[in-house]
């Protein structure tokens, strides 16, 4: 079983826009799938979020009904789970993923597909090792690693859609 990482996408997002599609929504007393044809804006409330007349208490955990499908948060796709937590007048956004999924979102951001295959494999080993050894680096903020170059640049599912063949590199670089 893969090590789970909590990646901080934003500490103080002013708003949340959910892309069209299906989302499994989990919050206090709630676990159901919602489907939208258009983008939806979550609004902050005193206790969490509102989506039209629907109220969700904070924190909210979003995921796709199908395990490998991404969810669209602020127009960016992410695999795994995305936690939304009201923090003051803003939202903390955390992507919860296995280390191998995280690695696929890092490799394209931290490398160049023109690099030799052996260099890409070495970077996969370095990035995985860094992620595991630095778990908890931002523990006081509620996540392990941030998505910026401060930890490792992480682009979520959008970064895995390139020709870098991250999946095969990740598998071969273990």
């Amino acid at each position: 079983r893969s090590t789970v990482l909590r990646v901080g996408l934003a500490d103080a997002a002013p708003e949340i826009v959910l892309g069209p599609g299906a989302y499994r929504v989990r919050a206090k007393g709630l676990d159901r799938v919602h489907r939208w044809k258009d983008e939806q804006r979550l609004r902050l409330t005193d206790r969490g979020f509102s989506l039209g007349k629907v109220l969700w208490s904070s924190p909210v955990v979003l995921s796709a009904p199908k395990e490998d499908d991404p969810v669209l948060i602020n127009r960016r796709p992410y695999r795994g789970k995305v936690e939304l937590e009201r923090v003051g007048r803003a939202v903390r956004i955390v992507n919860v993923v296995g280390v191998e999924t995280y690695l696929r979102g890092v490799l394209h951001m931290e490398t160049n597909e023109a690099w030799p295959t052996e260099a890409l494999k070495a970077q996969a080993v370095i990035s995985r090792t860094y992620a595991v050894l630095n778990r908890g680096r931002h523990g006081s903020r509620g996540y392990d690693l941030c998505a910026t170059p401060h930890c490792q640049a992480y682009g979520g599912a959008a970064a895995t859609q390139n020709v870098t063949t991250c999946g095969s590199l990740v598998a071969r670089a273990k």
Side-chain angles (χ1 to χ4, degrees):
R1 209 176 133 142
S2 182
T3 300
V4 174
L5 295 172
R6 298 175 51 79
V7 184
L9 304 177
D11 278 329
E15 69 177 359
I16 299 296
V17 177
L18 304 179
Y23 293 78
R24 171 171 229 114
V25 179
R26 293 183 179 142
K28 185 177 180 180
L30 175 68
D31 184 356
R32 68 177 276 204
V33 174
H34 291 272
R35 287 178 172 67
W36 299 286
K37 291 181 182 178
D38 301 311
E39 285 186 344
Q40 302 293 313
R41 275 187 205 287
L42 284 180
R43 308 264 185 232
L44 288 172
T45 68
D46 291 341
R47 294 186 192 158
F49 309 96
S50 71
L51 183 64
K53 295 180 181 182
V54 178
L55 298 175
W56 297 338
S57 62
S58 180
V60 171
V61 179
L62 303 172
S63 61
K66 294 182 183 175
E67 187 175 327
D68 202 40
D69 286 350
V71 294
L72 288 170
I73 307 294
N74 292 342
R75 299 180 181 92
R76 295 193 57 107
Y78 296 97
R79 289 192 178 12
K81 297 176 184 173
V82 176
E83 296 178 354
L84 308 175
E85 183 176 6
R86 187 180 196 284
V87 180
R89 296 187 174 272
V91 181
R92 176 181 298 132
I93 307 171
V94 176
N95 188 197
V96 182
V97 292
V99 71
E100 302 307 315
T101 301
Y102 170 77
L103 189 58
R104 288 179 179 95
V106 166
L107 278 180
H108 176 67
M109 304 294 289
E110 294 279 338
T111 65
N112 183 317
E113 61 193 42
W115 289 4
T117 301
E118 295 305 314
L120 293 169
K121 285 194 230 177
Q123 184 63 47
V125 171
I126 292 164
S127 291
R128 181 185 295 107
T129 303
Y130 178 90
V132 172
L133 291 178
N134 284 280
R135 278 179 70 198
R137 184 174 190 183
H138 293 284
S140 64
R141 293 182 176 167
Y143 49 87
D144 294 312
L145 302 165
C146 65
T148 71
H150 175 260
C151 290
Q152 293 187 96
Y154 173 70
T160 65
Q161 297 172 355
N162 203 306
V163 184
T164 314
T165 61
C166 292
S168 60
L169 286 174
V170 168
R172 290 186 297 191
K174 284 186 177 182

